[in-house]
Each structure stands twice: as structure tokens, then as C-alpha cells.
Amino acid sequence: MPQPPKKALQIFNSTQFDQYFNQFDNFYIGSATCHFLLPSLKDFGYLLDKTQKENKMLSLLTPIMPQDAFPHLEKLIKLVEEKQALNFFELIFNDWGVFQDFKDVADLKLICGSFIINQKKDPYYLSLKDQYDATSTMSVANNPDYAEFLLSQGIDTIELENICQGISLKNLEKLKINLHTPYISFSLTRHCPQALIEQGKNFQQIITQCDKYCQNEPKQIWQLKNEHYQSFYRGNWQVYKSQAPLPNNINKIIYNQLLIEPTIS
Amino acid sequence: MKILAPISNLSELSPLIKNGADEFYMGIFSKSWFKQNKFFNPLNRRYTAQSNVLDTQEAGKIIEQAKNQNKPVYVTFNTNTNFSGKSVIINELENIIKLKPEAIIARDPVIIKLIRKLDKSLPIYLSSLDQVVNTQAAKFWHENFNITKFILPRNLNLAEIRKITQELPQFEFELFIYNDDCFNNIDGLCSSIHYQKHAGLDINFVCHRENLYKNQDQNLQEKFININHNKSLCNACLFFHLKDIPNIKSAKIVGRDKSIDEKIKLVQFLKQARSLVSKENDFNKFQKNTRMLHKLIFKNTYCQNCPYAPTT
């Protein structure tokens, strides 16, 4: 019998980590959308110690990385090495620059994030059912040549999101899949409206300092409703909750983790 | 810095050259491709016919006639890996390569490899969709695909542009000088459907759906909408700020779907703004003159909240 998938949880701080620690095998810290959400060294050290001690996994999610954000990320990875925690750790990159920077760290598991593995994520696809074809459920990784390219870089695991029109598993046999569900990130900006408002600015500007306003109370979330989907603007990214059923054969072949993101509304 | 203008038909070539365009980029609308893929897998991120040159023969004439006047033409092919099969995409690429463009703008590793296989010597410029926002990313693409020219994404501030371009003098760069609506979301990471007003559909890009948002805090919602609607398109101050960086080669005007009148005005404005750099050493005076120039040509001033003024 195939093993059931390991369950992972996206957390944003050590309080959430402690709260859910016994319920999950793997914890995602950091963010695929914003470098300001990378954990502090202190928090990260605490998470590393506890996951290592209890034989669980810690995954560090990283976004598109501005040049200035690299020194902090390099410190985080150095800490993993110092604590000899590489066997309990994986780095998820959404920027080939991050891959380039860390590809030579021995024993560091690098996973290709969902913003590199392009999928058609706009929830408006649900309103176009009559027009879209099978390719709408595919990602770039469904192309065997793309999979070969990833494997040639030493990457055997990718992240996918369970998009509203469903996902295709065609040609994915050679890769391991981390599946995000139920929240799908489909758009992000460096003109973070939430931070700009909090900082009293009234026009678009790239955020250079942030106090993680998006982690504040739910009142900070804008909610969009129509007949097809429900989506939210939180911080600098837009997400929606997908109702798409998982593929029937998902337990049998393709993924090793299920990322259940915490409720955001 | 050369002025890189969009072109979508042969009749635009002469007026754009006459008014100051130094080089061109275009997409080619492939009927065979469209028939197979509808509009879900565009070859160059622009779905509409008016954004593209409508047939290969006309595209060939544009390239040839531009070349005769020493104006290079680049073909945009920054689609993702095609889902319809390798043979289909090879066919499209072969048709483009036969036209002998100066370079192909691409983003996808598989497509880049195919281009390299079909024509080893044809330059490939890396699309902004690949988000080269740090030096390491540029090194990745160079190391693996021998890319030496990068189109910087819109979501960089001035300090970041300077840092990347100055730390990598061995590479060439291109940046966006006059944006269109796609100024807010991060290039390539935005999954918005891009066929607004196409085939009878009228779908707002995700960055323009904010009026549909609900929030209990009305004041907060108004601020949010205000921010999202406050555009800064011009960016001509980049000419001044980056005048000392020789490896930024091109300033790209966004808007392949714009009318020829709009394109001419943009080229005229940017040519004159660029010439102001050599005449004026004081930024404040440069900015004032550029704003006046903008108002003169466009009858408005878009640069009140420019992210590049003052220096950021």
C-alpha cells in the first residue's frame, strides 16, 4: 500500500509552530511572496532545534529575492549548517538567483517553488469553462523536457498549487510534488498596498521597510466575492480558496507533502 | 541608451524611425498556433491581434527594411514551455529564425535550448518574466544558457538597477522606460488572464479588480483603491539617473497594442527627454523640463509620483 502523504503546515511565527507542532510532519516558514517574511535568526534557530529533536522537517520558503535580502538568507542557511540540521531541512526557491547562491551547499535539499513552476492560476478560469482546454490544468513541468531540465540541475521536487480548474499529473512521474491546498497565490506586487496604507503613503512605491503588517488582524484583508470564487488581498499578494478536488491518483504516485495553509479569513 | 519601440505592422516602421526609434521589438501572431491553442497559450504574453504583426511575411519585411536602416528588430517569444508538443513549437521557432531577427526574447529554459539547437549564433535576450532581480540570477542564466543580455523587470528600484548593472559589467541590460497598465504586479509572477476585451470577453486584470473588494473598514478600502489607481508611467528620469552606466543599452517602450499616434508621441517624448540629459546636470532642472515636455506632448503630467524621482 502506498504511504499516505506527509502533511505540512505553513506557519508565520513560533507561536503557530508550537500550537500545531503535534499535528504535522513538516512546517513551512518564510514566504514565497515577500522577503520581509523570512524568519529572524532567533525564531529560525528555535524552529530548527525543535524539528530536529522531534525528527520533523522544516522548509524555508523564499520569494523573488532582492539583492539586499541575500545576506539574511545566507545567515539562515549558515545556521542550518552549524546546527547540522540539513537532514531535517529543505529550501524552497522561487528565484533562480537563490538556487544559484545555494546549489553548492553540500546536502542542502533545494525545491523548485510554485512561482517558477508556472500554472494558470487566475480564478477567472472557472468562468471560462467552455473555452479552456486540457492545457489549462497543466504546469510547465508537465513538459518532459522541462522536467529533464530540472533534473539536470539536481532538482527532483517541485511545488504545485491545486488550481481551481484542477491539476494535470501528465508526465510528472520523474518528479516529486509538494502540493499546496486550498489557498492559491495568483498575483503579487512589491507595491504592497497594505504596507503603504499602514505607512501613510498614498501612491505606489516599492516597499523597502516593513513591519509585517499582513500578519496583523483579519481586518487587514480585502475580500473579493463573485459567483465563481472568493479571493483575498493580503499584504502584497492575492490568494483565493480553491474548491478543486484532488486528482484520484494523487495518493498513489506523486506527492510527498500536502501543504495546508492556515485559515486566512 | 537606445529607444526601443514596439511595432505591430510595417506601416509603423518609417514614422517611428523618423521620430527617433533606435530599435524595435515585436510579437508575431501565428494563425496556426492560435487555431490550436486559442488564446490560452499566447506566444508572447499578448493575446490580442493588434499587439502582434499579423503574418510572417510582413514580419520579415519589417526586419529586412529596419535592417537596411541599421535598426535591429527583436522578436518576443516569451511564452512558457508549450503544452502542445515540441514539434509545434519548433515549427514556430523555425519560422521566426528564418526571418533573421537580431535576437529572440525568451523566458523558458526548454524554449531557449530549442533556439540554441536551431541556431547557435542567434542571440537570446532573457525576458523580464524571468525576474532577474539579483546578480546571482543573471549568473544562473549565463552559466546554463550563455545569456548575456537581460531585460530587467519593472519591479526594481533605482538602487537595485544600479547595483545589478554595475556589478555585472560583462552583461548588457534593457529596462522599461514607459510603462502601460502592467506596472503593479511582478512580471512573470502575476497569473492574471491577459485577454481583456478579447473574443467578446471583458475581464479585468487582477490588479484592476480592486473595486470588487469588500472590506468592513470603508476608509481602508478607499485608501487601497486610491493606491492601486495612482499610476506612474513615464520613468524618463531613468535616463538621467542611469546615464553613467554604459551596459544599460536599451530603454523599452511598453505597448505593442498602442496606436501609431501614441507610439510616435512616446518616441518623440523619450528622444527629447534623453537629449535633455546631456544638456542639464542638475536633476531638478532636468525633471522640471521633462515634465514640461511631457505636458507639451501628452497634455498631462504622469510623473507626479514617479518612483525614480527623487533618487530612490
Side-chain angles (χ1 to χ4, degrees):
Chain A
M1 285 288 288
Q3 292 291 311
K6 287 192 291 182
K7 284 188 177 176
L9 178 72
Q10 163 87 65
I11 53 167
F12 290 103
N13 51 53
S14 52
T15 309
Q16 287 176 332
F17 177 73
D18 290 336
Q19 186 182 351
Y20 294 106
F21 188 76
N22 292 327
Q23 297 172 41
F24 292 87
D25 308 308
N26 185 345
F27 295 89
Y28 278 51
I29 188 78
S31 166
T33 62
C34 180
H35 63 281
F36 292 115
L37 297 179
L38 290 176
S40 68
L41 269 176
K42 188 182 166 190
D43 276 358
F44 191 59
Y46 172 74
L47 303 181
L48 276 174
D49 288 342
K50 196 163 175 181
T51 46
Q52 193 176 9
K53 190 177 170 189
E54 300 290 335
N55 216 17
K56 297 193 177 195
M57 286 292 291
L58 187 66
S59 304
L60 179 61
L61 263 173
T62 58
I64 288 288
M65 288 284 286
Q67 199 76 54
D68 289 348
F70 271 88
H72 181 60
L73 180 58
E74 284 163 0
K75 283 180 192 166
L76 293 175
I77 301 303
K78 198 173 178 190
L79 188 63
V80 180
E81 290 181 278
E82 285 170 0
K83 287 181 178 289
Q84 298 182 328
L86 283 160
N87 288 339
F88 303 91
F89 177 77
E90 52 197 19
L91 176 63
I92 299 159
F93 66 93
N94 284 286
D95 181 331
W96 285 111
V98 172
F99 174 79
Q100 180 77 7
D101 211 34
F102 298 107
K103 67 179 181 176
D104 295 327
V105 176
D107 298 325
L108 175 61
K109 168 96 170 162
L110 284 152
I111 294 174
C112 195
S114 60
F115 278 110
I116 288 181
I117 307 299
N118 285 80
Q119 294 174 276
K120 296 183 183 304
K121 294 181 186 172
D122 193 325
Y124 238 107
Y125 275 105
L126 274 184
S127 58
L128 303 168
K129 272 183 180 172
D130 296 340
Q131 301 183 57
Y132 65 62
D133 55 23
T135 65
S136 298
T137 63
M138 290 183 177
S139 73
V140 290
N142 291 101
N143 183 323
D145 291 336
Y146 199 98
E148 285 302 325
F149 160 71
L150 292 173
L151 291 166
S152 74
Q153 297 291 330
I155 299 160
D156 67 358
T157 308
I158 61 169
E159 305 239 313
L160 289 177
E161 304 199 25
N162 186 32
I163 46 180
C164 60
Q165 64 269 35
I167 55 170
S168 166
L169 306 183
K170 190 179 174 185
N171 298 327
L172 289 176
E173 298 84 1
K174 291 181 180 174
L175 297 168
K176 296 176 196 164
I177 311 298
N178 293 344
L179 184 71
H180 294 217
T181 184
Y183 293 102
I184 313 299
S185 301
F186 67 102
S187 164
L188 62 144
T189 171
R190 289 184 79 191
H191 304 113
C192 176
Q194 192 163 352
L196 288 172
I197 289 169
E198 295 281 356
Q199 293 172 359
K201 292 168 185 165
N202 60 6
F203 59 91
Q204 292 181 4
Q205 223 174 6
I206 291 174
I207 300 298
T208 51
Q209 285 185 320
C210 185
D211 289 331
K212 302 183 181 180
Y213 308 102
C214 54
Q215 305 308 305
N216 292 351
E217 295 300 308
K219 72 170 185 175
Q220 305 286 359
I221 296 166
W222 290 265
Q223 184 171 324
L224 173 65
K225 279 185 179 178
N226 70 13
E227 60 186 308
H228 303 297
Y229 62 94
Q230 189 177 46
S231 74
F232 310 90
Y233 216 128
R234 187 177 191 184
N236 72 329
W237 77 100
Q238 293 192 62
V239 296
Y240 72 93
K241 190 171 184 176
S242 171
Q243 309 292 340
L246 297 177
N248 289 332
N249 55 345
I250 199 136
N251 273 354
K252 292 182 184 171
I253 53 170
I254 72 154
Y255 75 111
N256 62 2
Q257 288 177 34
L258 178 64
L259 175 63
I260 302 171
E261 291 164 351
T263 303
I264 60 169
S265 59
Chain B
M1 225 183 286
K2 289 181 176 172
I3 295 169
L4 174 54
I7 187 164
S8 49
N9 64 65
L10 184 59
S11 68
E12 293 179 345
L13 185 66
S14 291
L16 288 174
I17 291 176
K18 190 180 167 189
N19 283 282
D22 301 308
E23 45 189 13
F24 297 93
Y25 71 100
M26 65 180 176
I28 300 172
F29 187 87
S30 163
K31 292 183 180 68
S32 57
W33 180 276
F34 185 76
K35 197 175 175 184
Q36 181 157 345
N37 289 278
K38 297 183 183 174
F39 40 82
F40 288 101
N41 298 312
L43 292 172
N44 56 56
R45 292 282 288 173
R46 287 291 180 277
Y47 294 80
T48 53
Q50 68 261 34
S51 301
N52 290 279
V53 179
L54 285 177
D55 71 65
T56 312
Q57 205 179 2
E58 185 173 4
K61 283 180 185 170
I62 290 171
I63 291 169
E64 190 184 346
Q65 291 185 24
K67 201 177 279 184
N68 289 340
Q69 299 178 69
N70 294 320
K71 309 290 181 192
V73 180
Y74 316 121
V75 175
T76 309
F77 200 86
N78 55 355
T79 183
N80 279 128
T81 295
N82 173 244
F83 307 118
S84 306
K86 197 192 281 186
S87 61
V88 183
I89 205 160
I90 286 176
N91 184 48
E92 298 297 332
L93 283 172
E94 281 176 341
N95 287 338
I96 290 172
I97 289 169
K98 275 180 202 163
L99 304 175
K100 297 185 178 171
E102 186 74 14
I104 293 182
I105 298 165
R107 72 169 298 193
D108 187 279
V110 175
I111 290 171
I112 291 171
K113 276 188 174 180
L114 284 173
I115 298 169
R116 285 270 180 262
K117 202 173 174 183
L118 292 167
D119 188 335
K120 281 181 187 167
S121 62
L122 181 65
I124 300 169
Y125 298 167
L126 195 73
S127 168
S128 62
L129 300 179
D130 278 313
Q131 284 290 315
V132 171
V133 300
N134 50 64
T135 53
Q136 291 91 325
K139 287 172 187 169
F140 170 82
W141 289 100
H142 176 66
E143 205 172 275
N144 288 283
F145 301 100
N146 197 26
I147 305 276
T148 56
K149 186 165 180 176
F150 301 89
I151 302 169
L152 294 173
R154 298 164 175 84
N155 46 279
L156 288 173
N157 64 33
L158 192 55
E160 290 166 338
I161 294 171
R162 293 188 74 89
K163 185 152 191 159
I164 293 168
T165 53
Q166 287 180 327
E167 283 192 12
L168 299 171
Q170 69 274 36
F171 299 145
E172 293 184 344
F173 296 90
E174 176 183 310
L175 46 76
F176 295 99
I177 198 80
Y178 207 106
N179 262 317
D180 63 359
D181 280 349
C182 194
F183 56 94
N184 190 6
N185 285 293
I186 294 181
D187 295 339
L189 304 190
C190 168
S191 305
S192 178
I193 292 173
H194 274 66
Y195 40 90
Q196 192 179 24
K197 293 176 184 169
H198 179 84
L201 298 166
D202 190 2
I203 302 168
N204 279 336
F205 299 162
V206 289
C207 47
H208 290 296
R209 294 178 196 165
E210 69 282 339
N211 59 334
L212 301 173
Y213 280 83
K214 290 180 179 176
N215 192 305
Q216 290 178 338
D217 188 334
Q218 192 65 30
N219 183 36
L220 211 58
Q221 187 175 2
E222 282 173 16
K223 286 179 181 173
F224 170 74
I225 291 172
N226 186 39
I227 283 175
N228 254 19
H229 278 266
N230 199 331
K231 296 181 185 180
S232 172
L233 305 177
C234 165
N235 299 348
C237 289
L238 286 175
F239 281 133
F240 188 93
H241 292 310
L242 302 172
K243 61 185 172 185
D244 59 329
I245 303 182
N247 55 333
I248 301 180
K249 296 293 183 186
S250 307
K252 177 182 245 170
I253 300 170
V254 183
R256 282 185 277 143
D257 53 349
K258 286 186 166 70
S259 70
I260 182 60
D261 290 343
E262 285 177 286
K263 288 176 186 172
I264 287 172
K265 279 183 185 175
L266 287 167
V267 169
Q268 284 175 340
F269 166 67
L270 291 170
K271 186 186 175 188
Q272 291 179 61
R274 183 180 61 181
S275 71
L276 289 174
V277 175
S278 56
K279 294 172 190 163
E280 190 54 74
N281 286 325
D282 182 276
F283 174 69
N284 289 330
K285 287 179 184 170
F286 168 82
Q287 189 187 39
K288 189 181 167 190
N289 290 336
T290 305
R291 283 181 174 177
M292 283 169 58
L293 184 64
H294 196 287
K295 200 165 185 178
L296 193 70
I297 294 176
F298 296 101
K299 315 296 178 203
N300 63 46
T301 310
Y302 255 133
C303 56
Q304 284 172 357
N305 294 321
C306 176
Y308 303 115
T311 305
T312 49

